[in-house]
Amino acid sequence: MFMRPPPARRSFSLPRLTPVRRPQSIARNPSLHFFHTSSCTRLTARPELLPRRRKILQDARGPAFQRPLATAVGDPLRQDAVPFGHLQPQIPNNYGHPSGLRPYDLRAFDPSSPLLLKIHDDPSPRSKMTPNGVPGGIDEMLSVFDACVQVGKLNRAALVLERFSDLGPQPGYDLVALHNRYLRAVIDRAFEQSDSEWAQSLHKWYELHIRGANLPQTPETIALMLKVSLLSTQGPRLERLVTRYMDMMPGDAIYQVLTEVDILNQQDFGMITSIYQPASDLLDDWEFPLQEDEPQQSATENSSTEPPSPAGAELEPEGVPEVLAVPQKGLGLESLRGVLSFFSKINDQDISKLPPAERREIQSRLEQDCVDAAVNRWREENQSLLAMGRTSSLSAPGLNSQLYDWHLALEQKLTVEFKLIEESETRERKNEDDQDRCIYGPFLKQSSPARLAAVTIMSVLNAIASAGADRGAPLSSLLSQLSKTVEDDIRQKIQQTDFDSRKSQLKNLAREAYVARRQQQADSTSQPTTQIPDIAEAMSNIIQAPLYEVKSWPLLIRTKVGVALLSALIDTAKIDVAREHPTTKELVKQRLPAMAHTSVIRKGKKVGIVMPNKFLVDLLKREPRGDFLARHLPMLVEPEPWTKFDKGGFVQYPAHLVRVKYGERDQRIYAEAAVKRGDMEQVSKGLDVLGRTGWRVNMPVFNVMLEAWNTGEEIANIPPLDPQIPQPPEPESCDNPVQRREWIRAVRAVENEKSGLHSERCFMNFQLEIARAFKDQTFYFPHNMDFRGRAYPIPTYLNHMGADHVRGLLRFAVGKELGENGLRWLKVHLANVFGYDKASLKERESFAKDRLADIYDSATDPLRGKRWWLQAEDPWQCLATCFELKAALESPDPTKYVSYLPVHQDGTCNGLQHYAALGGDLWGAQQVNLEPGDRPADVYSAVADMVKEDIAEDLKEDNFLAKAVDGKITRKVVKQTVMTNVYGVTFIGAKAQVLKQLDAAYPNIEQETSVPMNLLASYIATKIFKALSTMFRGAHDIQYWLGECAGRVCRALTPEQIERIASGEITTVKKPSSSNPRVTKSKKPADQLLSQFRSTIVWTTPLRMPVVQPYRKSGTRVINTSLQDLTLQIPDRSDPVNRRKQLQAFPPNFIHSLDASHMLLSALECDELGLSFAAVHDSFWTHAADVDVMNRVLRDCFIRIHSEDVIGRLASEFEARYKGSIYLTTVARGTAIEAKITAFRKKNKYTTKEELLLERERQQLLASSDPEEVKKGQAMVTPASIYEEMSASQPLSSNDEMEAIGLGNIPDKDSVSEAVPHEEDDDLSVPSNHIRGELCLDNQGDPEHYKALMSVSRFESELTGEAKKAAQKSKTKSKRVTGINVWLPLAFPEIPKKGDFDVKRLKDSQYFFS
């Protein structure tokens, strides 16, 4: 598609903002951040529509791109296809390859110039709401103004503008841009009015609020006022107005006015030039085509409501049995089947054979939301029930039909609410309800009552079911989910409306492009040095962050919208209940409220919840949620390439390049800036490669799975339809209440297990339905990534990252001949999925050869034969390989067999591989197959052996724990803990992992040994951590270095912050009292200073993607609603960082970013070599014939990444990113340095702030170019200078924070308790083994001490006071002061010395990935 060159403007440029004529996404976000620079607007144009200039030679660049407008709209941005490229300066091509570099070559990165985000605090404190219902926060006012303009509430938009004017000039938004939007909206409404009063009011508005307020007038403002004059005035007055407004534009700025072609049409242009002489001179050189054809209608703009069906498609499929539905009465499943009903009409028709336009149309229709389809299904079932007669005494009606009643009632309620909103907005004296309606009213009116009702019902039911229907949904989370769903639905609707209305604008764009070219030529002669701001900004590494979030609704708006909709649903939703009369045995029907709002006490706090009726709970337990599924299905066409942060993936459904949660703004700002600079080119293209891989359903496996599913039996990982789990016998009545409580707990566990199996079967039901629908199609998985760069498929239910049965169902859409090596790798793959993956490659190949009879039997009769494939670790993938291998061996020439099966190559604990390479750890490299070897090393077995050796030592000391686990340590027991330890698993998490494995392998171990399983799991986890710390010394040092860097950054103040502190800009911040949120108290000066620690950890991956850790301590805000007062967290970038989370998460997140870079780099090279490629993090898939090539690529990419000084580059980036910062550290008491600093403080009596500013002054003097100032700085005495004088190295972070960083480190009980939230205890009847398990956190204690405590229940410990003593001891320990605080200039510790391992040796390792 084309890009319009931005005209050179003398002031600053503004995008064309109008909600009707030329809608743009930026128009809905009126922050000045988006308006300070010219924004390239995407265009398409047909060459025959371009105006011609007389007597001008044809452009030497040749004819324009011959592409119809309609089909060019979705094209990725390619500068080399722009016919007007000569009109714009040489902007760096973000998607072109630098000269001589291949797509998979690492790009040069200067760590001394990373992307830097400049953060400015909000200078405008939140004020109270006005009597007119205008909110007090600027972000809220911006959102309300935008919504009012969208729905035509221009009187309220004017009130918001007036309040903006009252605030005076404020950074963060552009007042004149908001006025321009208001003028546009009024002009659009003018076509509906017959008088000219609107024009007089606009002239008055302009004089009073724009010109009278001395706001900078833009070409857009002048063009709008010209439009007002042209529409409302004639004769001499028109001439005076046109001349007056045009004279306001200095010099050649009239060109800029004439480029506003979405305001001024061709007739307006002619009228202006006939009146204003300077503009009329342009006519001599311009000629426009006599006729302008309408652009062709694209496939995505088809007006039909149903996707086209291929010719000859049958209406009913034959030969494929239905998927046996889980008993669930069909809301979720029927929703899914309704979405997939299109596929039933094209039996055996492969959509991939259709023309691209038709395929794209089908894809667009599938992506459109299923809200209307859901309402139709509710209506159909309701009408069907009415036809049978509602008085049927069989049972209460199903939920589907009742949902239609809900929908009608809620729609009627919202219709009434819309009328109340109108009344509230016009009422002079507004009460609290009126003010609330003035806030949320414009947002609700962007949709319709019918659609809002449907979205509300589906979202609330989904939220309740997700939270656990019988427990109720917390009000805050339910409101968040509901409002987010409504916001997304409204934004998608607006986006679709914008896309449709854009068709009417296309014919004007050619003239705009030509006018821009004329102006460019004029400027090039008169002002050859004109600079375009966009270029300088694109090449700059400084990001000016917007102060206000306008891309999503603020928290106040979301809460008010959510409460309004939820309250209406609670009032109107009724459920029909049929119960048997206890005496007459007749069915009695009642209509009861479906849900209610109440409050409960959780963790000592009063929490609001929405509790569903118990009869609704029963229905929800039988029905999986199936709404909004259409947006999460695989695509039928290749995904759109990623060209922007929010442009790529699906054809219509909006998706983001990076997954960010609400409030995490920094990652989005960094990512958008990186995309603009071209830094994300390789990352986005790598995601494109993953998305272009075509898939099909493996029909032989699907047929077996479908047959197994329909039997209802437990086969492989398919749960049984009716699980036979025996109920524990009820104890006889006795005086021991503990025995009865234990029985109740056992019964609850059985019910939970049954419920879990049912939920799992329902989810698999969805997956099989989708697979059945797509059985004849080629489909694709669009990908995006998390904030660390790890790629994930966007379709939720069916993708290759699913469980074993989903992976077994999928095969590549394109096949390749096996060849000799491919046949060998197919046999190796069989051994791998069976679980025989730690032998040599020859032994794995022999494994398959020796079991050919079992393989043939499995492929011939999977369910009635010997079922050998069910013994595999991954049975469904094993069965798929059996089918493929049998077919290949039975073919005339197995090497010529075309195979479609993905063959996997898995890394050996990929995180440890990266750590071993970073630290040059030779022993660690050998354990994870970086070092060449004849056989594959197995780090999990090595750790298991070390644990066994340690347990054997304990056996010699007669340790009762060692006796209990002797002979029970296997590779599987330790594997998950070893794998996740490198990614930051806590000791409690590791204990839970071991507990899960013990319970699966030895379910009766507690009865056999009389030792609680929690205690045994803690004992084993301790041994695993100890083995890891011994085995990977180099990795351990790297982890400590990363954690130490993070700890210092999170306690640092930036130069900008220190400057603000010095100037006194930091005002007293009030925070809510912990006892009463409504009572606020001022922070102490020292605490106020410490609350300024906002520096989060930011780094750049080898593929130049910026990564921002999102962990902050969010503030809270009390919002009054009609349901209850809500205390909600408000995430904001000005929040102080959560230092513990930042520090402990950085090492694993950094490793994740490295393995993500390795995967994407490998994807780019494999794509360049013509390989089909898929990945599941550190498991890479391709055809059997290409495994050797892919393995070479994997080794080469890993070597290329680690041949660079990754840690050294990170250190350089940190030094540049945090240059000039000063951080607060702790100096241990009792040292000589501490004594001297304490003496200095006793003498000078400096406050914390004064010491900070003193050190700042010293650093400025030392950095001066004046020798006298340098000497003065050297003579100054500060705590930091005392450090330097005594030649002390900078201290490490406190031990309690660093304990959880290194490989195999076990934090003590207190630090673990701080880091991990305590589990909720409902009463004193907590199982005794739960308490006993927690006792073993202090792993250095005497085992006999725990043995003595095993018989002590929590109740007994409370009675004896032991629990209170332990809590007091822990509290006293946590308050112990270990040092004094000192401000030091931020410097980073020395990089750990690298070991002897050379990563280039990896080239010869055949087991790196195998």
Side-chain angles (χ1 to χ4, degrees):
M1 84 175 39
F2 302 152
M3 172 183 286
R4 181 185 66 198
R9 305 199 172 186
R10 304 202 181 283
S11 56
F12 52 87
S13 67
L14 295 167
R16 282 68 178 162
L17 307 173
T18 177
V20 178
R21 296 191 174 188
R22 185 177 176 162
Q24 297 179 1
S25 59
I26 196 171
R28 315 192 193 286
N29 307 305
S31 170
L32 184 58
H33 165 70
F34 301 101
F35 304 145
H36 278 322
T37 58
S38 298
S39 177
C40 294
T41 306
R42 297 185 167 203
L43 310 179
T44 56
R46 290 169 57 187
E48 60 269 22
L49 298 183
L50 297 178
R52 300 188 301 275
R53 184 182 180 188
R54 295 176 180 174
K55 300 179 182 179
I56 297 286
L57 293 177
Q58 186 174 351
D59 183 14
R61 292 176 180 259
F65 181 42
Q66 303 292 325
R67 180 80 183 270
L69 276 167
T71 58
V73 171
D75 282 1
L77 178 62
R78 297 293 300 227
Q79 184 175 329
D80 53 3
V82 179
F84 305 119
H86 58 293
L87 300 181
Q88 49 191 341
Q90 294 302 314
I91 300 176
N93 189 339
N94 291 357
Y95 294 93
H97 303 318
S99 177
L101 288 180
R102 299 166 296 185
Y104 51 87
D105 287 333
L106 291 174
R107 306 296 190 250
F109 169 66
D110 182 7
S112 65
S113 182
L115 278 174
L116 296 175
L117 178 63
K118 293 300 181 183
I119 300 176
H120 305 283
D121 290 338
D122 185 355
S124 304
R126 190 180 305 277
S127 54
K128 292 183 179 180
M129 184 182 301
T130 66
N132 289 325
V134 178
I138 289 182
D139 55 343
E140 296 157 2
M141 287 192 284
L142 289 170
S143 295
V144 170
F145 175 81
D146 178 78
C148 289
V149 171
Q150 286 286 349
V151 299
K153 292 291 181 181
L154 302 183
N155 291 335
R156 291 207 56 77
L159 291 175
V160 178
L161 276 181
E162 289 174 357
R163 186 164 195 190
F164 273 120
S165 301
D166 294 340
L167 293 175
Q170 296 286 341
Y173 64 91
D174 187 356
L175 189 54
V176 74
L178 301 182
H179 279 286
N180 289 342
R181 290 199 63 199
Y182 173 73
L183 293 175
R184 283 177 176 271
V186 176
I187 292 173
D188 289 328
R189 292 284 298 275
F191 293 101
E192 305 171 6
Q193 304 177 24
S194 58
D195 54 47
S196 60
E197 291 183 3
W198 65 272
Q200 296 301 325
S201 67
L202 280 190
H203 285 297
K204 183 179 179 180
W205 181 274
Y206 170 80
E207 294 295 338
L208 181 63
H209 295 286
I210 300 179
R211 193 160 181 261
N214 294 320
L215 293 180
Q217 298 183 50
T218 68
E220 182 183 13
T221 311
I222 299 302
L224 288 167
M225 296 312 300
L226 287 171
K227 187 70 174 180
V228 173
S229 304
L230 292 167
L231 289 174
S232 62
T233 315
Q234 296 179 355
R237 175 172 170 77
L238 174 61
E239 294 179 3
R240 290 196 303 271
L241 289 173
V242 169
T243 303
R244 178 173 182 265
Y245 287 128
M246 292 299 287
D247 283 343
M248 292 180 182
M249 287 287 97
D252 293 338
I254 60 172
Y255 291 109
Q256 301 175 33
V257 176
L258 298 178
T259 60
E260 304 288 343
V261 294
D262 55 340
I263 301 173
L264 303 171
N265 57 31
Q266 196 165 322
Q267 182 179 358
D268 298 334
F269 181 78
M271 181 66 71
I272 292 171
T273 53
S274 67
I275 295 174
Y276 193 66
Q277 183 61 36
S280 67
D281 296 337
L282 298 174
L283 287 178
D284 294 336
D285 292 332
W286 290 356
E287 178 184 350
F288 293 91
L290 297 178
Q291 181 179 0
E292 294 178 343
D293 299 329
E294 288 295 328
Q296 299 176 8
Q297 187 179 32
S298 71
T300 58
E301 298 165 4
N302 196 308
S303 60
S304 63
T305 58
E306 294 294 333
S309 300
E314 299 294 335
L315 293 180
E316 297 294 334
E318 297 179 1
V320 179
E322 294 281 346
V323 179
L324 176 65
V326 178
Q328 48 191 301
K329 291 206 173 180
L331 171 64
L333 190 57
E334 288 304 319
S335 298
L336 174 65
R337 284 176 168 168
V339 172
L340 299 177
S341 61
F342 161 72
F343 293 97
S344 66
K345 303 176 183 178
I346 54 169
N347 185 38
D348 299 328
Q349 297 293 322
D350 187 353
I351 295 177
S352 64
K353 308 299 183 184
L354 297 177
E358 292 187 38
R359 292 169 56 206
R360 189 178 174 87
E361 167 66 12
I362 292 172
Q363 177 61 39
S364 298
R365 295 301 167 186
L366 284 177
E367 287 178 21
Q368 290 182 2
D369 62 70
C370 53
V371 175
D372 296 333
V375 175
N376 291 335
R377 288 189 294 278
W378 300 344
R379 183 187 301 111
E380 289 171 4
E381 186 161 330
N382 185 275
Q383 293 173 349
S384 175
L385 190 65
L386 286 174
M388 292 188 297
R390 275 191 181 275
T391 58
S392 171
S393 60
L394 295 177
S395 63
L399 183 57
N400 244 17
S401 62
Q402 298 190 65
L403 290 184
Y404 185 62
D405 292 334
W406 290 16
H407 182 260
L408 292 178
L410 183 55
E411 181 182 359
Q412 183 178 2
K413 176 84 172 178
L414 292 178
T415 302
V416 174
E417 180 66 22
F418 274 34
K419 294 179 181 178
L420 294 176
I421 290 172
E422 294 283 350
E423 295 175 4
S424 296
E425 290 175 344
T426 56
R427 189 172 288 129
E428 291 186 5
R429 298 179 62 88
K430 294 180 172 60
N431 57 30
E432 189 173 347
D433 291 339
D434 293 331
Q435 290 182 336
D436 281 352
R437 289 191 176 103
C438 288
I439 292 177
Y440 65 71
F443 297 90
L444 293 184
K445 289 201 168 186
Q446 294 180 79
S447 187
S448 64
R451 190 170 185 87
L452 286 172
V455 172
T456 300
I457 292 170
M458 290 189 290
S459 180
V460 170
L461 290 181
N462 283 332
I464 291 176
S466 300
D470 51 353
R471 296 193 307 165
L475 181 62
S476 58
S477 60
L478 193 153
L479 289 175
S480 176
Q481 181 172 333
L482 171 59
S483 58
K484 181 65 168 63
T485 305
V486 172
E487 180 184 3
D488 289 345
D489 185 72
I490 289 175
R491 289 189 183 278
Q492 186 183 14
K493 178 184 176 183
I494 293 173
Q495 184 181 29
Q496 184 61 40
T497 304
D498 292 351
F499 181 82
D500 294 339
S501 64
R502 196 174 299 126
K503 294 184 294 181
S504 62
Q505 306 295 327
L506 294 176
K507 61 182 180 181
N508 292 325
L509 301 183
R511 181 165 62 86
E512 180 182 5
Y514 184 72
V515 172
R517 182 169 63 179
R518 284 286 296 125
Q519 179 198 349
Q520 179 84 9
Q521 292 170 347
D523 290 344
S524 65
T525 58
S526 60
Q527 298 177 1
T529 59
T530 298
Q531 295 293 323
I532 304 297
D534 274 342
I535 304 174
E537 182 179 348
M539 299 306 294
S540 173
N541 68 318
I542 306 299
I543 311 170
Q544 296 294 341
L547 281 179
Y548 308 109
E549 175 61 73
V550 291
K551 295 184 179 180
S552 59
W553 293 350
L555 182 67
L556 174 68
I557 305 298
R558 298 177 70 168
T559 304
K560 297 289 186 181
V561 169
V563 168
L565 295 174
L566 180 61
S567 300
L569 179 63
I570 291 175
D571 291 342
T572 57
K574 308 294 181 182
I575 187 168
D576 292 330
V577 177
R579 289 184 289 186
E580 188 180 75
H581 193 281
T583 305
T584 63
K585 304 301 181 182
E586 295 181 353
L587 283 179
V588 179
K589 294 185 178 181
Q590 293 177 298
R591 286 184 66 80
L592 303 176
M595 60 193 74
H597 168 247
T598 184
S599 59
V600 296
I601 303 299
R602 290 182 177 175
K603 298 183 180 180
K605 296 181 180 179
K606 191 175 181 180
V607 179
I609 63 170
V610 174
M611 181 63 70
N613 188 299
K614 63 179 182 179
F615 296 98
L616 177 60
V617 170
D618 293 337
L619 289 175
L620 290 175
K621 282 187 175 181
R622 297 199 300 269
E623 301 184 7
R625 313 311 316 138
D627 303 312
F628 300 106
L629 286 177
R631 301 174 181 176
H632 304 291
L633 297 176
M635 295 183 66
L636 296 173
V637 295
E638 289 188 4
E640 296 290 294
W642 286 104
T643 56
K644 287 184 176 182
F645 181 86
D646 53 0
K647 176 61 177 174
F650 289 109
V651 174
Q652 286 191 350
Y653 181 67
H656 289 161
L657 177 65
V658 182
R659 302 180 178 191
V660 290
K661 296 180 181 178
Y662 175 74
E664 296 174 2
R665 299 168 58 190
D666 287 359
Q667 179 64 62
R668 174 164 187 163
I669 294 172
Y670 270 102
E672 288 177 337
V675 170
K676 186 174 184 179
R677 289 210 320 175
D679 290 348
M680 300 277 279
E681 175 197 2
Q682 288 184 298
V683 170
S684 58
K685 287 193 172 183
L687 294 175
D688 295 342
V689 170
L690 298 176
R692 285 198 301 267
T693 300
W695 299 88
R696 292 185 75 93
V697 173
N698 192 328
M699 287 307 297
V701 177
F702 174 77
N703 291 331
V704 175
M705 193 177 299
L706 188 57
E707 183 181 351
W709 175 269
N710 288 340
T711 64
E713 300 176 2
E714 181 179 6
I715 298 176
N717 65 332
I718 297 178
L721 180 61
D722 185 19
Q724 301 299 319
I725 304 175
Q727 291 275 6
E730 184 176 359
E732 297 180 1
S733 57
C734 61
D735 296 334
N736 187 0
V738 175
Q739 189 176 6
R740 177 135 190 112
R741 284 199 297 266
E742 289 180 351
W743 173 76
I744 293 175
R745 192 175 299 112
V747 172
R748 191 181 302 167
V750 170
E751 292 300 321
N752 288 340
E753 185 176 357
K754 287 184 177 180
S755 177
L757 291 173
H758 178 78
S759 298
E760 188 177 348
R761 189 169 174 94
C762 290
F763 187 76
M764 293 179 71
N765 202 159
F766 279 156
Q767 293 172 322
L768 287 177
E769 285 287 355
I770 296 172
R772 183 176 182 274
F774 282 81
K775 64 183 177 60
D776 299 315
Q777 310 304 326
T778 296
F779 47 90
Y780 305 86
F781 301 131
H783 284 65
N784 62 2
M785 54 191 171
D786 64 12
F787 74 94
R788 301 163 300 185
R790 301 198 99 188
Y792 295 88
I794 301 176
T796 308
Y797 297 96
L798 185 73
N799 62 64
H800 61 292
M801 286 192 181
D804 169 56
H805 67 285
V806 181
R807 298 186 186 189
L809 276 176
L810 298 176
R811 66 173 180 85
F812 287 134
V814 178
K816 282 194 176 181
E817 291 185 358
L818 284 175
E820 291 291 344
N821 287 337
L823 185 60
R824 169 175 167 265
W825 276 112
L826 196 58
K827 296 173 182 176
V828 171
H829 180 64
L830 178 76
N832 287 343
V833 296
F834 193 85
Y836 187 72
D837 56 346
K838 296 308 168 187
S840 67
L841 293 178
K842 288 185 178 180
E843 291 171 339
R844 291 184 231 178
E845 184 180 2
S846 300
F847 175 88
K849 291 180 180 178
D850 295 341
R851 289 162 178 79
L852 286 179
D854 292 329
I855 294 170
Y856 274 69
D857 177 77
S858 297
T860 303
D861 197 0
L863 296 179
R864 284 167 288 276
K866 293 187 289 185
R867 293 189 172 192
W868 172 81
W869 60 279
L870 288 176
Q871 303 173 26
E873 192 172 283
D874 299 312
W876 292 110
Q877 294 176 77
C878 178
L879 180 61
T881 313
C882 289
F883 279 123
E884 196 81 357
L885 195 55
K886 177 177 180 290
L889 295 177
E890 289 181 344
S891 65
D893 184 355
T895 61
K896 298 293 184 181
Y897 176 76
V898 178
S899 173
Y900 294 83
L901 189 74
V903 173
H904 312 170
Q905 295 290 281
D906 298 344
T908 307
C909 197
N910 194 232
L912 285 174
Q913 288 178 327
H914 284 284
Y915 266 127
L918 291 173
D921 196 331
L922 183 57
W923 189 18
Q926 292 172 347
Q927 301 303 320
V928 291
N929 293 307
L930 296 186
E931 184 74 13
D934 297 332
R935 295 183 60 81
D938 182 14
V939 63
Y940 309 117
S941 297
V943 171
D945 291 339
M946 293 185 70
V947 171
K948 291 176 185 176
E949 293 173 3
D950 208 357
I951 290 175
E953 293 297 321
D954 288 349
L955 280 174
K956 296 177 182 179
E957 301 177 4
D958 201 31
N959 186 315
F960 78 100
L961 295 174
K963 290 179 180 179
V965 299
D966 184 32
K968 295 180 172 60
I969 304 302
T970 64
R971 178 182 183 274
K972 194 169 184 178
V973 169
V974 307
K975 179 178 178 179
Q976 188 178 12
T977 304
V978 174
M979 185 187 306
T980 55
N981 187 271
V982 69
Y983 293 124
V985 68
T986 63
F987 182 78
I988 290 180
K991 185 190 74 173
Q993 292 169 347
V994 175
L995 179 64
K996 180 180 177 182
Q997 298 300 331
L998 284 178
D999 187 49
Y1002 312 104
N1004 300 320
I1005 189 173
E1006 189 167 336
Q1007 290 78 10
E1008 295 172 357
T1009 62
S1010 300
V1011 180
M1013 197 176 294
N1014 270 358
L1015 199 61
L1016 298 178
S1018 295
Y1019 175 73
I1020 296 173
T1022 302
K1023 301 300 182 183
I1024 296 173
F1025 275 44
K1026 181 179 177 182
L1028 282 172
S1029 62
T1030 303
M1031 186 178 295
F1032 291 92
R1033 188 70 254 171
H1036 185 274
D1037 295 339
I1038 292 291
Q1039 280 189 319
Y1040 258 85
W1041 183 86
L1042 293 172
E1044 175 60 28
C1045 290
R1048 296 186 184 187
V1049 168
C1050 294
R1051 299 273 285 184
L1053 295 175
T1054 64
E1056 293 80 11
Q1057 287 178 302
I1058 300 174
E1059 184 65 33
R1060 291 185 63 249
I1061 292 172
S1063 62
E1065 292 182 24
I1066 295 183
T1067 57
T1068 302
V1069 179
K1070 293 187 177 183
K1071 62 179 182 179
S1073 168
S1074 58
S1075 58
N1076 186 354
R1078 296 183 180 276
V1079 179
T1080 59
K1081 57 182 181 180
S1082 299
K1083 288 185 178 181
K1084 296 179 181 178
D1087 293 337
Q1088 184 179 332
L1089 192 63
L1090 299 182
S1091 68
Q1092 298 298 310
F1093 293 137
R1094 302 173 185 174
S1095 297
T1096 185
I1097 308 301
V1098 184
W1099 72 96
T1100 307
T1101 71
L1103 297 188
R1104 299 177 64 179
M1105 173 185 173
V1107 179
V1108 186
Q1109 290 200 149
Y1111 316 114
R1112 294 184 181 274
K1113 297 178 180 178
S1114 299
T1116 58
R1117 178 181 175 187
V1118 178
I1119 298 179
N1120 301 325
T1121 71
S1122 59
L1123 289 176
Q1124 69 175 62
D1125 290 350
L1126 293 170
T1127 302
L1128 303 176
Q1129 285 191 338
I1130 310 174
D1132 191 83
R1133 75 161 66 88
S1134 62
D1135 295 331
V1137 295
N1138 188 323
R1139 186 171 184 245
R1140 180 182 293 276
K1141 284 187 177 180
Q1142 289 277 351
L1143 185 152
Q1144 296 180 357
F1146 177 42
N1149 284 341
F1150 180 71
I1151 295 301
H1152 276 307
S1153 71
L1154 288 182
D1155 65 42
S1157 298
H1158 176 233
M1159 187 275 288
L1160 291 173
L1161 200 64
S1162 302
L1164 288 171
E1165 185 167 356
C1166 286
D1167 181 67
E1168 193 77 3
L1169 297 174
L1171 275 65
S1172 295
F1173 183 87
V1176 183
H1177 301 318
D1178 59 351
S1179 176
F1180 301 154
W1181 302 6
T1182 191
H1183 290 95
D1186 294 330
V1187 170
D1188 288 317
V1189 178
M1190 185 182 73
N1191 277 335
R1192 177 189 61 77
V1193 169
L1194 299 182
R1195 292 192 295 268
D1196 289 347
C1197 291
F1198 191 92
I1199 291 171
R1200 283 206 302 276
I1201 289 176
H1202 287 284
S1203 292
E1204 298 183 352
D1205 187 3
V1206 177
I1207 298 298
R1209 183 176 60 196
L1210 178 66
S1212 299
E1213 180 182 348
F1214 278 176
E1215 290 170 0
R1217 186 177 297 282
Y1218 305 108
K1219 183 180 180 180
S1221 298
I1222 298 177
Y1223 82 107
L1224 191 67
T1225 190
T1226 304
V1227 177
R1229 292 190 181 276
T1231 61
I1233 299 176
E1234 182 268 336
K1236 192 166 184 178
I1237 292 176
T1238 302
F1240 169 82
R1241 288 176 171 172
K1242 287 181 179 179
K1243 179 180 178 181
N1244 293 281
K1245 305 293 184 181
Y1246 289 132
T1247 64
T1248 303
K1249 176 181 176 180
E1250 290 170 339
E1251 279 194 9
L1252 170 66
L1253 298 180
L1254 190 67
E1255 181 58 30
R1256 167 179 172 266
E1257 180 184 357
R1258 187 176 82 94
Q1259 293 300 319
Q1260 289 177 340
L1261 292 173
L1262 292 175
S1264 174
S1265 58
D1266 186 352
E1268 293 300 323
E1269 291 188 348
V1270 173
K1271 289 181 181 179
K1272 185 178 178 181
Q1274 292 172 344
M1276 289 183 66
V1277 179
T1278 66
S1281 69
I1282 295 174
Y1283 243 99
E1284 296 173 1
E1285 177 187 349
M1286 302 185 72
S1287 301
S1289 61
Q1290 295 199 5
L1292 296 176
S1293 297
S1294 57
N1295 290 333
D1296 65 321
E1297 291 173 328
M1298 296 298 293
E1299 277 178 329
I1301 291 297
L1303 273 172
N1305 268 35
I1306 310 173
D1308 63 24
K1309 181 177 181 178
D1310 298 320
S1311 62
V1312 169
S1313 299
E1314 289 180 32
V1316 180
H1318 295 288
E1319 295 182 6
E1320 180 181 349
D1321 298 333
D1322 54 355
D1323 52 32
L1324 293 181
S1325 62
V1326 176
S1328 57
N1329 64 339
H1330 174 82
I1331 304 301
R1332 299 171 198 150
E1334 295 301 322
L1335 290 173
C1336 68
L1337 287 176
D1338 185 9
N1339 57 87
Q1340 303 300 328
D1342 181 9
E1344 295 301 322
H1345 173 65
Y1346 298 118
K1347 190 173 184 179
L1349 290 177
M1350 280 166 50
S1351 59
V1352 179
S1353 68
R1354 177 173 178 174
F1355 182 71
E1356 291 171 326
S1357 68
E1358 292 286 347
L1359 286 178
T1360 59
E1362 291 296 329
K1364 186 175 181 180
K1365 292 178 184 177
Q1368 186 65 32
K1369 182 179 178 182
S1370 174
K1371 186 176 181 181
T1372 303
K1373 182 178 178 181
S1374 64
K1375 287 186 176 181
R1376 190 181 305 146
V1377 179
T1378 59
I1380 59 173
N1381 291 331
V1382 177
W1383 293 106
L1384 295 178
L1386 180 58
F1388 296 99
E1390 184 179 353
I1391 298 174
K1393 185 178 179 181
K1394 200 167 185 177
D1396 298 329
F1397 174 70
D1398 183 1
V1399 72
K1400 293 180 181 178
R1401 291 177 56 81
L1402 171 62
K1403 233 172 209 185
D1404 301 323
S1405 174
Q1406 61 178 328
Y1407 295 108
F1408 171 55
F1409 271 70
S1410 64

